[in-house]
């Protein structure tokens, strides 16, 4: 196991170990598409190391089953979202290949449990972020382009009754994501001053700016780059990074149409069908 990477508990892999027990609960919820009780009774509300150990355990299972990691998502970067969920620090999760949908796609009902949407800026890396200071300047140079994005958050925890540890263990409540079609290098786009508007069925439900994401979405990516390297799994060229919400996330129901605009990056949209998951 890489240096500085928290280790699972010491119990046997029979459900008595809190990491394995929490992973089993979340795995069952995902498999049955039935939200489960929070896992904080197993791992504690604020035990960050154990929560990420659960996330890594479930990630390893998905990779072993054939899933491919295509990037990361940063969560809880917006003060508004932190207030919604009662937390005060960012987290991150893993993006898998089957989470990506094209702009304008229809996401079948049930694909994401208890879906909520948020608009943000995504970055695609043109270089690895594995060495060096991993400060804002280095991260900015490593970004190939920015693109508008809608993240479809989902929780395997019933009623979104989550503590910080619950959402970390549950892959930072990752569900799916949609990228817009317009790609801009940072030489032609300022993430901090970008303004976002998101509508659901034509009604404006969320607004914000790039400054809502840790003051600068690039700063959020730098935080992730350092954290990922410290955990032994640095960001790599070609990966997508969802940098965090620019405003409050909102729930959606089957039939909903979501449209987001980010100044400079254009629009991105997704609908939710009433038909079953793919």
């Amino acid at each position: 196991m890489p240096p500085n990477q928290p280790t699972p508990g010491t119990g046997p892999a029979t459900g008595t170990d809190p990491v394995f027990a929490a992973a089993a609960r979340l795995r069952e919820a995902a498999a049955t598409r039935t939200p489960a009780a929070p896992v904080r009774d197993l791992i504690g509300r604020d035990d960050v190391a154990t929560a990420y150990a659960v996330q890594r355990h479930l990630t390893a299972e998905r990779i072993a089953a054939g899933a491919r990691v295509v990037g990361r998502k940063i969560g809880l970067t917006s003060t508004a979202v932190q207030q919604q969920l009662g937390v005060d620090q960012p987290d991150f999760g893993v993006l898998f290949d089957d989470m990506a949908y094209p702009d304008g796609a229809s996401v079948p009902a049930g694909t994401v449990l208890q879906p909520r949407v948020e608009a943000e800026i995504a970055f695609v890396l043109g270089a690895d972020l594995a060495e060096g200071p991993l400060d804002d300047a280095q991260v900015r140079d490593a970004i190939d382009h920015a693109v508008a994005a809608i993240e479809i958050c989902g929780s395997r925890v019933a009623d979104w009754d989550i503590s910080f540890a619950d959402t970390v263990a549950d892959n930072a409540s990752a569900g799916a994501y949609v990228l817009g079609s317009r790609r801009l290098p940072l030489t032609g786009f300022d993430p901090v001053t970008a303004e976002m508007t998101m509508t659901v069925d034509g009604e404006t439900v969320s607004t914000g700016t790039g400054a809502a994401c840790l003051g600068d979405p690039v700063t959020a990516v730098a935080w992730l780059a350092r954290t990922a390297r410290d955990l032994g799994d640095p960001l790599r060229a070609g990966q997508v990074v969802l940098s965090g919400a620019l405003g409050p996330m909102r729930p959606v129901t089957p039939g909903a149409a979501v449209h987001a605009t980010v100044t400079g990056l254009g629009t991105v949209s997704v609908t939710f069908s009433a038909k079953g998951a793919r």
Side-chain angles (χ1 to χ4, degrees), residues 96-180:
F96 296 100
D97 53 341
D98 63 355
M99 291 181 175
Y101 284 84
D103 190 10
S106 179
V107 176
T111 301
V112 178
L113 287 180
Q114 306 179 106
R116 296 181 177 185
V117 291
E118 57 188 31
E120 52 195 88
I121 298 168
F123 299 102
V124 177
L125 299 179
D128 292 352
L129 288 169
E131 300 178 350
L134 301 184
D135 55 13
D136 286 18
Q138 181 181 352
V139 168
R140 185 176 293 273
D141 288 343
I143 290 172
D144 183 76
H145 63 269
V147 60
I150 294 173
E151 181 181 356
I152 307 166
C153 302
S155 182
R156 272 59 63 174
V157 176
D159 301 320
W160 278 86
D161 178 17
I162 56 175
S163 67
F164 185 74
D166 290 307
T167 187
V168 168
D170 190 25
N171 197 26
S173 303
Y177 68 94
V178 184
L179 300 183

